[in-house]
Amino acid sequence: MSLDLQNSGLSDALVILGAAGLVIPAFARFRISPVIGFILVGILVGPNALGSMIGQVPWLYYVSISDPEAIAPFAEFGIILLLFSIGLELSLKRLWAMRGMVFGIGAAELLISGLVIGLALHLLGQPWGGAIGLGLALALSSTALVLPIAGMTSPVGRVAFAMLLFEDVALVPIIFMLGALAPTASGEGWKGLTDVAIAGGITVAILYIGGRLILPRLFAQAARTKSPELFLAASLLVVIVGSVATAAAGLSPIVGALLAGLLVAETEYHGEVEAIISPFKGLALGVFLISVGMQLDLRMVARYWPELLAAIAGVMLVKAVVTTLLLRVSGARAGTSAETGVLMASPSETTLIVLTAATAAGLIQPSTATFWTTVTAIGLTITPLLAKGGRLIARQIERQMGEEAVPAELADEQGTVIIGFGRVGRTVADMLRAHDKPYLAIEADIDVVNAARIEGYNVRFGDVARSDMVDRLDLGHAQALIITMDDPVLSIRLTRRVRGWVPALPIIVRARDANHAAALYRAGATDAVPETLESSLQLSEAVLVDLGVAVGPVIASIHEKRDEMRKEIKLAAGLDRDPRIRRVRGERAVEG
């Protein structure tokens, strides 16, 4: 079967995948955010650049996107996956604790910024209905760009997330309000808003109750199969069901995606789910950024650049000032307030949705919507630059005010990380608990995890064969790593990977035999404990004593054999020190 490259869907898919393969490594090489790269690719391959030249140069069809509207659903799905992953990093308890910030600062930022921008536009000649619609649209900030840049653990990230969460919740009510303000609207618009609020509340309650009952069982079955494909299918099913349910109730689908993430975060599987959907989220987000770039018409930018520059500067100035002042009044540090204000200053991807709704309602003219769409696309493009500028401004303010910069919130000290919770891992955990040492165990068998947690062990489900899962363990803050799993190849690969990442971390690994121990030492293990060798020595000691051989000569021969094994491992591993091979009982007296 031959590939039909004349199929626009296939051709566009190849362009997007090719762009991802080029943009991500190229921009990472120069330490530039790939956000800018994807948007530039969108500008280049979109209908306003190479796409407009297909008639003159037919072969450009294969390196441009011929149907921008066809990729729009994939771009929206990228935002949905982003909100789902954000929910995975949260918890319902933490979200409830943020309610004051969400509905306080978040609401105030949106309403005040929208009012100021709308008032300015009205003074410039825009009718009140259109001014309100444009003001609210431009007051929104980009969830898709701000959160990946700021994260959710830094002071800036936590505040930004609270404001963005309120904006996402308020999106659908804003659209209904614009419909009610339409010149031809009747009182049905406000009634529809009330109906959506009721239906949305009922839907969220049903999803919450159903999710708490069903999700643990669903993911437990997926985990027992040890099939990444089934786990991915279950994860996508949860995202789609949550998004479709809230969309059917009249809310934004991203609200359902966020709720689905929060519910999964309450289970044992959130780390595995987050790791398995991460590549798809990144690719879908790249599609979204390409779609943003395709909306930029460079000819229009060149023609109206003074007006566009003034509009972008005005919107960003208003939002930055309002956000900074609100945060300062609420008690945030000066540097944090300024950095958050600058980062949140650009418009949002949801601005485009509100502009479409305002145009459909007859509140603004299509030409006006086109102008502000270009402003939004340019604003999204420079968001990474705003992030860097905000950090520089924050440092300067803190330096002048004599404040110390607030570092990102570090992960809690997790002590020792144990990978594998079979009989060996359980014994290690028992010894650590006996001496009041904190630990975290990772196990890929969900039945073992459930049984261990019932007994009070600190065990988390996760498959360390996936590199993403290892990255999320934050081993840079661990005191030691113990690898007890019975998989020689994986233990060597994992040891080598972690040693390259955390050079000073003590890594103690269970080894099968002398050869395996030598390979582990070469991979960077601090200590490799060959259990079969030590058990064979203990068996030899027991049988010799039972056969009537004097204890003294037996111990001497055991020491001699242990020293011989130590030298073999040292030679095979190329070590400049003697490896540890000791018996637990007998303390230092029996060490060779």
Side-chain angles (χ1 to χ4, degrees), residues 17-42:
L17 292 175
L22 293 173
V23 166
I24 294 176
F27 278 70
R29 173 67 178 82
F30 297 101
R31 297 183 179 180
I32 301 174
S33 171
V35 168
I36 298 176
F38 278 119
I39 294 177
L40 292 178
V41 167

Side-chain angles (χ1 to χ4, degrees), residues 178-364:
L178 294 179
L181 292 174
T184 59
S186 62
E188 293 297 319
W190 298 109
K191 182 180 182 299
L193 185 59
T194 304
D195 293 342
V196 166
I198 296 173
I202 294 173
T203 301
V204 168
I206 293 174
L207 287 175
Y208 174 78
I209 297 171
R212 296 298 292 266
L213 294 175
I214 296 172
L215 289 184
R217 294 171 176 81
L218 173 66
F219 283 110
Q221 292 302 319
R224 290 189 180 98
T225 66
K226 298 186 182 298
S227 169
E229 294 81 7
L230 186 57
F231 222 100
L232 173 62
S235 302
L236 294 178
L237 175 65
V238 171
V239 178
I240 293 171
V241 168
S243 301
V244 170
T246 52
L251 296 176
S252 171
I254 60 180
V255 175
L258 179 64
L259 179 60
L262 287 168
L263 290 172
V264 175
E266 299 294 318
T267 69
E268 301 297 328
Y269 314 96
H270 63 277
E272 187 72 10
V273 172
E274 188 176 2
I276 208 164
I277 71 164
S278 181
F280 301 92
K281 177 194 69 177
L283 180 60
L285 190 58
V287 176
F288 159 72
L289 294 170
I290 290 175
S291 70
V292 170
M294 289 190 299
Q295 298 182 58
L296 269 176
D297 186 347
L298 296 182
R299 288 183 290 268
M300 179 183 176
V301 173
R303 187 180 306 120
Y304 298 107
W305 70 265
E307 293 89 344
L308 290 169
L309 183 61
I312 294 169
V315 169
M316 291 185 173
L317 179 62
V318 169
K319 293 176 67 176
V321 171
V322 169
T323 303
T324 301
L325 292 178
L326 280 174
L327 292 177
R328 284 297 287 160
V329 170
S330 69
R333 298 168 68 97
T336 300
S337 302
E339 183 177 353
T340 307
V342 174
L343 180 61
M344 297 280 288
S346 63
S348 167
E349 61 278 357
T350 51
T351 298
L352 305 175
I353 300 174
V354 179
L355 289 175
T356 301
T359 305
L363 297 174
I364 60 176

